[in-house]
Amino acid sequence: MPASKSPLASSLQGRLRCDCRDLVVPFFHNDALRLRRSEILRHTGRLAAGFVLLFLFCAPFWDGTYDTLFSASVPNVSRLVVVLVAFWVAFDGRLGARLRRKVPLLPFALLMLAAAALLALSLMDPAASAASVMTHALLLLAIGMLLAAMPLSVIEVCAFLAIPAALDLSGLLPDTAGAVDVGVMSIRVLFLVMTLTAGLSALLQLHRTIINIQQIAQDPLTGAYSRGFGSEMLFLGFEAARRNCRPFSVAFVDLDNFKQVNDQFGHDRGDRILANSGENLIAGLRRGDVVVRWGGEEFLVLLPGLNVAQAREVMRRVVEVGLAELPDGGRQHCSVGIAERIEDKIEEPHSLVDLADQRMYEIKKDHATDGMGASRAGPQSAEPESDAPGATIILHPACDASV
């Protein structure tokens, strides 16, 4: 593997940098951005739901509808539907939890659609008072303004702006005739200006989130994830594998004799070797794998969906020729310890890391084996030996044996 930065290594290292595609569509977001954005969207959705509940609790006293509050009229039924949606979003229960994880923007979108439907029904109801219509319009406008707190892409902003635009194009929103003459801004102009402002703010929030993640989640030297963010990815990946009863392997990688490399070639050259090692490690893995700089010359590799044998084969392919070229023409090799949650019957993610770390040190101390634990005396057999670390296949009783 060449020591110079390959195009693939450069592209993978740059996944945390701000890309125009990240601002336009959310489909190309990296793991770090996807995780942070999901948290922000979920919390903003819950905040919006709490606001909606408070607003609708006070609304009857503003628009004078408290006398008919318990009648089975269309506005009351519509308000009840909005309240139920807001309760579902605010309390973030198990109902629809998997769908919310896959589409974190869904709760807020349902909340805004429910508020838009409430306003539309009020506008179409000839018996609705002007105060009631204005109350519902203010509710939708307030929810729209919360877009400014959310990191949204261009396509998501356009989707949300389409909601008030649909109300306008349908002719439901009051016309602007006479509004300028009396010095009052019409509802149509108010919606246009404020929703566009909120949409632009949402795009700026997304750009700011990307920059912050680049500074916090990425190790600047190697391009791998930082340990703090890597710990979050470890926990989320482990829990996802446990829910889906799938394998989840980790590989603990430690560069061999790196102290001697620093002493012999200097720390500046050592940093370059460490950077090349990290870049080439990232470049040799699948896009869904996660490389974390765990500390010093140590890396943690998360390999979701792979058992021990598969993880060992992947890591052997990546590290067998060395991760970087040394100034004297040699190669920077490493030692790798592998552990897997099902085969090793591990229940906690950090216990999995500790076991992989322990196996890495056992391999490093055993000079009769290579960095992957295979004997140097001859070719490795196709089947792992039963006494090799992590080679015994033990399926977790909660999982299907076909995994």
Side-chain angles (χ1 to χ4, degrees), residues 184-261:
V184 178
M185 182 178 292
S186 69
I187 293 180
R188 297 177 68 181
V189 177
L190 193 64
F191 267 79
L192 175 64
V193 173
M194 299 193 73
T195 52
L196 282 177
T197 303
L200 291 175
S201 298
L203 289 174
L204 291 176
Q205 286 285 4
L206 178 59
H207 183 268
R208 188 180 296 113
T209 302
I210 294 173
I211 299 302
N212 290 340
I213 287 175
Q214 179 184 348
Q215 296 173 347
I216 296 172
Q218 185 179 31
D219 174 56
L221 180 62
T222 63
Y225 288 122
S226 64
R227 178 165 179 167
F229 182 78
S231 297
E232 293 186 50
M233 296 298 293
L234 170 67
F235 175 79
L236 292 175
F238 191 93
E239 290 302 313
R242 177 153 50 192
R243 281 195 308 270
N244 299 319
C245 211
R246 299 294 299 166
F248 185 80
S249 294
V250 300
F252 204 97
V253 181
D254 184 78
L255 302 185
D256 294 335
N257 306 314
F258 195 70
K259 184 178 182 303
Q260 289 84 339
V261 170

Side-chain angles (χ1 to χ4, degrees), residues 254-267 270 273 296-297 332 364:
D254 184 78
L255 302 185
D256 294 335
N257 306 314
F258 195 70
K259 184 178 182 303
Q260 289 84 339
V261 170
N262 277 328
D263 293 341
Q264 182 177 355
F265 304 113
H267 288 277
I273 294 171
E297 67 273 16
Q332 177 62 62
K364 189 179 286 288

Side-chain angles (χ1 to χ4, degrees), residues 325-357:
E325 185 176 351
L326 299 177
D328 60 2
R331 302 291 297 174
Q332 177 62 62
H333 292 279
C334 62
S335 299
V336 182
I338 296 174
E340 198 278 316
R341 71 165 198 97
I342 297 177
E343 299 178 26
D344 293 308
K345 297 197 290 188
I346 300 296
E347 297 296 333
E348 296 296 331
H350 284 283
S351 299
L352 194 65
V353 176
D354 292 339
L355 181 58
D357 187 16

